[in-house]
Amino acid sequence: MKLKTKLLLSAVAVSSVLSSSAVLAQANEQFIGLPSYRVGPYASGGSGIYGGWIDYMNLVNARDGGVNGVKLSWEECETEYNTARGVECYERLKSKGASGNSAFMPLSTGITYAVIDKVAQDKIPLVTIGYGRTDASDGRVFPWVFPLLTNYWSQSTAKIKFIGQREGGMDKLKGKKIVNIYHDSAYGKETIPLLDVQAAKYGFTVVHIPVSHPGNEQQSQWLRVRQEKPDWVILRGWGVMNPTAIKAAAKIGFPRDKMVGVWWSGAEEDTVPAGAAAKGFITAGFNVAGTNYPVIKAIQDKVYKPGNGNMEDKARIGSVYYNRGVVHGIIAVEAIRTAQEKFGKGKVMTGEQMRWGFEHLDIDAKRLKALGAEGFMPDMKVTCLDHEGSGKVKFQQWDGKQWKVLTDWIDADKSIVRPMIEESAAKYAKEKGITPRDCSKEG
Amino acid sequence: MLYREAGQFKSSYTSDQQIFPIRQDRIGIMLLLLVAFVLVPGMADEYWLKGILIPFLVFSLAALGLNILTGYAGQLSLGSAAFMAVGAFASYNFMLRIDGMPLLVAFALGGVMAALVGIVFGLPSLRIKGFYLAVATLAAQFFIIWLLTKVSWFSNDSTSGVISAQEMEIFGYVFDSPESKYLLVLSIVTVMALMAKNMVRGAVGRAWMAVRDMDVAAEVIGIRIMHTKLLAFAVSSFYCGVAGALYAYAYIGTVEPEGFNLDLSFKILFMIIIGGVGSISGAFLGSAFIVLLPIFLDVLVQDVFAGLLPPSIASNLQLMVFGGLIIFFLIVEPHGLARLWQITKEKLRLWPFPH
């Protein structure tokens, strides 16, 4: 009993000493809370993305001494990809650091939905890169939410464009048949209306086949694919569903190079378990794989050589998830830089100033080159009206060992996506009693 | 010495039948409620209220519901999360589709809908028992989540299938500050916990316990099995339904059917196993253990051991310690934390002269 009390007391003492020293160091640091997940079913994604992100922030601190002298600081909070834990993390991280959490990027659509109302009250930008609430791209209704780079709807139009390219022109899509194999969840169903609209526009037929969670049994679905004899298959999968689908396609002899995956189907973690069957499989992505980019080289040089790297398995540097984390880091740091240009260089930005930074984020081709990320991620320009900022994706093909980039950046078809976004956002605004901002009055 | 009922004579039926017959218990509960209602909202900051106390109370209520079914009536259920989902989605639709629907009525109706669904899925319990019944309730878990995803009417045709809870307003007062939300949840949970305590002490609870201990014997002494079992399902689902509505309205705000998955059902089951099967306080203790301990471990690891451990070990360490503690407590006291508390009370009665 006594020993227990002693242990407890010493633990408390140690923690109080450590936390007080941490407070002192925070004075001139920009804090970013990281709601990471390194355990649970999606740990392979979470550890890669948050690892790459932390490595990039370490690089900025080590190479440039922070952003205009303001060092970056961060703290992780384990969410286990669980919405309730994510909300707890949001509350825990929100007032840490000198000016509170700079941006909340949970990498989980469930957590995104749960904090959408809270961020507007707490004045913290909610940044969801490549996932989250699609209609939040309408910045008039969602001033605090930034579904940057691309959303599921944009990506769906880019996929159809890609298929059109491969067929030799959009007019060649007429009479073709596309099967959409989707994860039977809110996430999986999100692109169905969009595919239907495009099918009507281009004259192809689309067949939707659901796969129930987790999707490790797909025999009946692929039997149906064989009966339908489609020209292309779109795989809107998640987790274990992806390698299972690829293997099932191989079994019925459906060509893998006629299968196009969403970016949650497009990492090494999805293709390697499928083995040789995955060769030729194509997927969309807003970042590419590989280490052959100056920014990755710089991380290897400045972060891993001194032994400060976050990844334990160094072979994963340059993987799809890792590079996606670096993209997260680049966007967060560039938003801080943009905000500082307006509100004072070398100062710690508040949540409101960070929001301005995200809304005026402009990473053009020149800036990408300076960052060493040319071709690594698409150029982007966010405005008050458009919180997506890009909509471009590249397509990559698995050659059996690694991902090979297949195309240049392919633009989304905004003429289809934008009206649907505005309609959905207007419905949300009505339900919630929000008056959309007038973007012509925003500075 | 302090905790001893010597000298407290019960001279009337009312004093003999009160919820807490021992004066020290009454004072203790009063103090606890006083702290919870007065001190905590004044002292605790936003993070404690929104991030820790509200989920703790909500999950306590859900665990309480399951404890009525599993702990008192002896019917194993793996569908608690689905009944929470019914409560959340039903309350949302009542608020959305009926103009001027009062919030508390919507919560209660959400609970009633959950109770009706609970009765339907409780019907197999009349024929099958134990693990086989668990499988039948598992069907409820999958069917309800599937239905809520499939039929977009439930989520008001939202493309992503999520619902966004309306503002909480009672008699013109808007519950939007963390303190007011906490007090609302606390009041509902306190009232429902007292109701549950009374129910299990009364004829209904005794019938449940008789069925749990041996249903044939219970039938022989004149307890209507069908009525008793279905009532247990209904009451339990009602509690889970209200907990689900509170989860959506007071805690998360925006929920998707996927959020009420099997994991959550298991979590609630673990709460009552660790807290104490067949005990009201056990639901609270178990919820505290399952909800708060991982958060405490995460804070400890991230703050105290920051930078000392590789990140993957830091995260997995929490799970290992958590799992280890579960095993430790189950070995030390298989009847749960509530039983530990009971033993403490018995020891306290004899203290300081145990012999």
Side-chain angles (χ1 to χ4, degrees):
Chain A
M1 194 66 208
K2 266 191 179 156
L3 184 70
K4 260 192 209 164
T5 334
K6 260 189 189 166
L7 276 176
L8 202 69
L9 281 176
S10 51
V12 170
V14 168
S15 69
S16 59
V17 168
L18 281 174
S19 57
S20 61
S21 63
V23 167
L24 285 177
Q26 275 167 2
N28 195 29
E29 284 182 351
Q30 186 80 39
F31 177 78
I32 300 173
L34 305 175
S36 60
Y37 44 97
R38 293 174 184 273
V39 294
Y42 306 110
S44 61
S47 56
I49 293 178
Y50 285 99
W53 187 354
I54 290 172
D55 280 347
Y56 184 76
M57 293 195 289
N58 262 324
L59 172 72
V60 171
N61 276 351
R63 183 187 58 189
D64 317 333
V67 184
N68 298 320
V70 180
K71 286 240 181 192
L72 304 170
S73 72
W74 56 88
E75 185 182 311
E76 284 189 67
C77 179
E78 175 67 47
T79 68
E80 297 177 14
Y81 201 83
N82 173 326
T83 304
R85 288 287 299 276
V87 171
E88 189 270 325
C89 281
Y90 169 78
E91 297 290 344
R92 191 198 305 173
L93 296 169
K94 95 179 168 194
S95 48
K96 294 217 166 168
S99 63
N101 193 2
S102 309
F104 192 70
M105 310 194 199
L107 277 153
S108 144
T109 300
I111 301 174
T112 304
Y113 275 109
V115 299
I116 263 182
D117 291 339
K118 301 183 207 293
V119 290
Q121 277 172 18
D122 298 328
K123 305 207 180 305
I124 295 170
L126 173 64
V127 184
T128 63
I129 302 174
Y131 59 95
R133 185 168 184 127
T134 302
D135 57 9
S137 306
D138 189 341
R140 293 171 305 177
V141 179
F142 297 90
W144 290 92
V145 189
F146 295 87
L148 294 178
L149 288 183
T150 170
N151 56 45
Y152 294 137
W153 290 356
S154 294
Q155 186 201 200
S156 172
T157 60
K159 262 189 215 163
I160 298 297
K161 270 194 178 172
F162 166 76
I163 292 174
Q165 266 185 21
R166 289 250 139 173
E167 292 287 346
M170 295 311 275
D171 51 322
K172 299 274 185 346
L173 282 174
K174 206 170 182 76
K176 293 270 187 294
K177 187 183 260 182
I178 298 176
V179 161
N180 172 33
I181 293 208
Y182 66 96
H183 186 264
D184 197 5
S185 65
Y187 148 80
K189 286 162 74 174
E190 218 176 321
T191 52
I192 291 177
L194 217 85
L195 283 168
D196 289 338
V197 168
Q198 293 179 88
K201 183 174 175 185
Y202 297 116
F204 60 88
T205 42
V206 58
V207 181
H208 306 287
I209 303 179
V211 173
S212 58
H213 182 79
N216 46 8
E217 179 55 58
Q218 296 178 23
Q219 231 164 359
S220 61
Q221 281 91 351
W222 285 89
L223 201 66
R224 175 106 190 268
V225 171
R226 198 157 76 175
Q227 289 160 354
E228 297 281 354
K229 295 196 186 66
D231 300 286
W232 288 84
V233 166
I234 290 177
L235 179 64
R236 193 164 165 76
W238 196 356
V240 69
M241 177 181 158
N242 297 322
T244 313
I246 295 169
K247 275 193 252 175
K251 223 181 212 169
I252 67 158
F254 187 83
R256 260 73 69 216
D257 59 358
K258 299 273 182 191
M259 279 173 81
V260 188
V262 65
W263 56 73
W264 294 118
S265 323
E268 289 78 0
E269 284 77 0
D270 301 307
T271 46
V272 171
K279 197 172 171 192
F281 176 62
I282 300 171
T283 173
F286 56 81
N287 66 283
V288 295
T291 53
N292 207 7
Y293 297 90
V295 59
I296 303 291
K297 294 257 180 279
I299 288 175
Q300 283 171 330
D301 204 40
K302 296 277 191 321
V303 179
Y304 278 88
K305 272 216 184 117
N308 297 326
N310 193 272
M311 302 297 287
E312 282 145 77
D313 181 3
K314 293 189 182 52
R316 290 182 68 196
I317 299 171
S319 71
V320 171
Y321 280 139
Y322 180 88
N323 287 5
R324 189 161 296 159
V326 175
V327 170
H328 277 73
I330 290 175
I331 288 178
V333 169
E334 287 311 296
I336 295 170
R337 205 187 303 280
T338 311
Q340 282 193 5
E341 270 156 26
K342 159 106 176 167
F343 299 103
K345 284 187 182 174
K347 282 191 191 150
V348 178
M349 294 292 112
T350 65
E352 264 173 312
Q353 290 165 338
M354 283 301 295
R355 195 198 75 79
W356 193 93
F358 278 110
E359 195 154 83
H360 295 80
L361 204 55
D362 184 2
I363 307 179
D364 54 12
K366 216 175 103 201
R367 184 70 199 145
L368 276 179
K369 192 160 188 181
L371 290 168
E374 201 182 14
F376 182 76
M377 60 182 275
D379 56 307
M380 59 188 296
K381 182 170 173 36
V382 187
T383 61
C384 162
L385 208 59
D386 176 20
H387 273 197
E388 184 184 1
S390 162
K392 293 178 190 172
V393 288
K394 269 188 183 181
F395 288 82
Q396 308 190 90
Q397 189 169 32
W398 183 252
D399 72 351
K401 283 197 182 66
Q402 54 184 328
W403 291 102
K404 283 265 165 15
V405 178
L406 213 55
T407 64
D408 200 2
W409 298 108
I410 294 185
D411 257 317
D413 190 342
K414 293 260 158 118
S415 68
I416 298 177
V417 178
R418 187 68 198 181
M420 291 178 79
I421 284 175
E422 288 187 1
E423 187 194 343
S424 176
K427 191 178 161 202
Y428 178 85
K430 202 173 151 226
E431 201 178 301
K432 284 272 166 185
I434 300 169
T435 320
R437 292 185 294 168
D438 184 355
C439 274
S440 58
K441 287 185 188 144
E442 293 285 322
Chain B
M1 200 151 64
L2 295 170
Y3 187 76
R4 183 171 296 170
E5 73 252 48
Q8 297 176 27
F9 300 109
K10 281 129 195 159
S11 50
S12 66
Y13 282 117
T14 20
S15 67
D16 194 36
Q17 287 176 344
Q18 54 191 333
I19 300 185
F20 301 103
I22 301 172
R23 191 194 301 132
Q24 285 88 338
D25 276 350
R26 279 200 299 280
I27 298 173
I29 286 287
M30 280 300 167
L31 280 177
L32 189 68
L33 286 179
L34 198 72
V35 168
F37 273 99
V38 182
L39 276 185
V40 167
M43 309 246 300
D45 62 2
E46 202 181 341
Y47 165 62
W48 269 90
L49 292 172
K50 273 163 98 172
I52 292 181
L53 291 172
I54 292 180
F56 158 67
L57 287 169
V58 169
F59 285 119
S60 299
L61 191 61
L64 195 58
L66 183 63
N67 219 343
I68 288 174
L69 185 65
T70 305
Y72 285 98
Q75 312 296 313
L76 193 56
S77 163
L78 288 176
S80 329
F83 299 131
M84 284 177 75
V86 173
F89 277 77
S91 302
Y92 167 77
N93 277 301
F94 279 120
M95 290 291 284
L96 180 78
R97 292 173 205 282
I98 300 175
D99 258 345
M101 172 62 93
L103 182 75
L104 290 178
V105 179
F107 284 175
L109 284 174
V112 170
M113 292 310 290
L116 293 176
V117 175
I119 290 175
V120 172
F121 283 97
L123 285 174
S125 72
L126 304 175
R127 291 282 163 149
I128 50 180
K129 284 177 200 159
F131 290 116
Y132 303 98
L133 179 63
V135 175
T137 54
L138 199 59
Q141 173 68 47
F142 286 110
F143 175 74
I144 290 169
I145 302 307
W146 173 83
L147 192 73
L148 291 175
T149 318
K150 191 82 187 165
V151 183
S152 59
W153 182 85
F154 288 118
S155 52
N156 197 23
D157 299 318
S158 139
T159 39
S160 44
V162 300
I163 57 168
S164 179
Q166 297 90 346
E167 216 168 42
M168 294 199 291
E169 189 190 313
I170 297 175
F171 295 128
Y173 181 79
V174 179
F175 289 82
D176 53 359
S177 71
E179 288 84 6
S180 64
K181 277 185 183 170
Y182 164 77
L183 283 174
L184 179 71
V185 175
L186 182 66
S187 313
I188 294 176
V189 172
T190 310
V191 169
M192 289 183 73
L194 282 174
M195 270 163 50
K197 181 85 187 164
N198 269 326
M199 236 183 308
V200 299
R201 289 181 333 129
V204 181
R206 280 161 212 266
W208 285 339
M209 284 184 268
V211 170
R212 171 190 68 191
D213 291 341
M214 194 175 184
D215 54 355
V216 178
E219 204 169 0
V220 166
I221 59 170
I223 290 168
R224 287 178 295 163
I225 297 284
M226 184 178 93
H227 180 259
T228 311
K229 279 188 177 172
L230 291 187
L231 185 66
F233 266 99
V235 172
S236 156
S237 309
F238 180 84
Y239 274 71
C240 287
V242 174
L246 288 177
Y247 181 78
Y249 278 81
Y251 181 42
I252 301 271
T254 310
V255 291
E256 50 178 346
E258 287 298 313
F260 298 100
N261 55 11
L262 186 61
D263 287 355
L264 186 61
S265 284
F266 273 123
K267 220 181 227 180
I268 297 169
L269 184 64
F270 296 155
M271 282 176 197
I272 66 166
I273 291 176
I274 291 193
V277 175
S279 139
I280 301 291
S281 61
F284 288 90
L285 294 172
S287 158
F289 189 90
I290 299 277
V291 175
L292 306 187
L293 192 65
I295 297 175
F296 172 74
L297 287 173
D298 191 43
V299 172
L300 194 73
V301 168
Q302 305 287 7
D303 274 8
V304 179
F305 300 111
L308 299 178
L309 294 169
S312 62
I313 293 182
S315 284
N316 284 299
L317 188 70
Q318 300 166 34
L319 281 188
M320 287 184 241
V321 173
F322 186 54
L325 279 173
I326 291 178
I327 294 173
F328 172 77
F329 274 108
L330 287 182
I331 290 174
V332 172
E333 187 46 73
H335 296 289
L337 299 172
R339 176 76 189 140
L340 275 183
W341 172 236
Q342 217 178 341
I343 293 172
T344 317
K345 283 208 292 193
E346 273 160 24
K347 290 227 166 110
L348 264 178
R349 277 183 170 181
L350 301 174
W351 183 82
F353 305 112
H355 295 291

